[in-house]
């Protein structure tokens, strides 16, 4: 698990760094167990947009799950560089070293997170690439084009055509 295997390594190298955990459904026992050195258990928030803007890196160390991960797409839209597990990156067409960094082992997590924390140039490049990928794959224009194509395929009219 990330908090047991990775976070102590990251916290040792970057002692001033805080890890903020967001999400719903945390029972008090989980929150207490996860509140270790440098970890802030934040819980559920109604509006995630300001959360992305307050942090330097988004991580998703998911070990299971299927389909597109909404939080990964939200982070793309905010231009926040990400370190993802291979599971978190599934279905996104995100590429390691281009739009995101992908890590699997504790050593890889430490290396990728440290790279984004230590290099403003890498952070800026990854941020711009994330924004571009998010716009091209998940932006409004692409959504409208995909919807129009689906409507045409089933023989329904598309507003503004023909």
């Amino acid at each position: 698990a990330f908090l047991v295997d990775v976070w102590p390594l990251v916290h040792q190298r970057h002692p001033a760094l805080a890890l903020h955990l967001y999400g719903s459904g945390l029972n008090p026992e989980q929150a207490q167990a996860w509140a270790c050195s440098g970890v802030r258990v934040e819980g559920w928030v109604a509006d995630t947009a300001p959360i992305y803007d307050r942090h330097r890196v988004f991580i998703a160390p998911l070990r299971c799950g299927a389909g597109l991960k909404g939080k990964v797409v939200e982070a793309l839209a905010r231009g926040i560089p990400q370190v993802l597990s291979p599971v978190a990156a599934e279905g996104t067409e995100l590429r390691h070293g281009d739009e995101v960094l992908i890590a699997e082992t504790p050593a890889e997590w430490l290396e990728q997170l440290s790279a984004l924390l230590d290099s403003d140039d890498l952070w800026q490049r990854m941020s711009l690439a994330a924004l571009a990928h998010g716009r091209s794959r998940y932006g409004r224009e692409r959504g409208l084009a995909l919807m129009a194509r689906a409507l045409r395929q089933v023989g329904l009219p598309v507003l503004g055509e023909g």
Side-chain angles (χ1 to χ4, degrees):
F2 186 88
L3 287 176
V4 172
D5 299 327
V6 178
W7 178 246
L9 301 173
V10 175
H11 190 60
Q12 182 178 8
R13 185 175 292 176
H14 305 277
L17 186 67
L19 174 66
H20 296 261
L21 301 177
Y22 296 92
S24 62
L26 290 176
N27 64 48
E29 294 80 28
Q30 277 180 314
Q32 182 70 26
W34 290 354
C36 58
S37 183
V39 176
R40 311 286 181 265
V41 179
E42 307 286 356
W44 182 82
V45 294
D47 183 9
T48 58
I51 301 303
Y52 292 107
D53 295 341
R54 284 199 304 253
H55 299 294
R56 182 169 173 93
V57 177
F58 172 80
I59 65 167
L62 303 177
R63 295 182 292 170
C64 61
L68 185 63
K69 311 328 178 272
K71 299 299 182 233
V72 171
V73 174
E74 287 180 15
L76 286 173
R78 302 306 291 190
I80 185 169
Q82 303 181 59
V83 181
L84 307 174
S85 67
V87 170
E90 284 176 357
T92 62
E93 297 182 19
L94 292 166
R95 298 164 298 175
H96 172 72
D98 289 329
E99 299 88 13
V100 298
L101 298 175
I102 297 175
E104 199 161 1
T105 68
E108 289 170 352
W109 277 98
L110 177 61
E111 177 185 341
Q112 306 307 342
L113 284 167
S114 294
L116 283 173
L117 293 168
D118 295 338
S119 172
D120 290 337
D121 289 340
L122 175 63
W123 189 96
Q124 186 67 32
R125 184 174 58 79
M126 299 298 287
S127 176
L128 293 173
L131 282 168
H133 184 85
R135 285 185 184 125
S136 71
R137 296 284 306 148
Y138 308 107
R140 183 176 188 276
E141 295 303 318
R142 175 152 167 106
L144 291 172
L146 290 171
M147 182 59 72
R149 188 173 78 190
L151 291 171
R152 276 189 228 97
Q153 286 177 342
V154 295
L156 294 172
V158 176
L159 191 62
E161 289 186 358

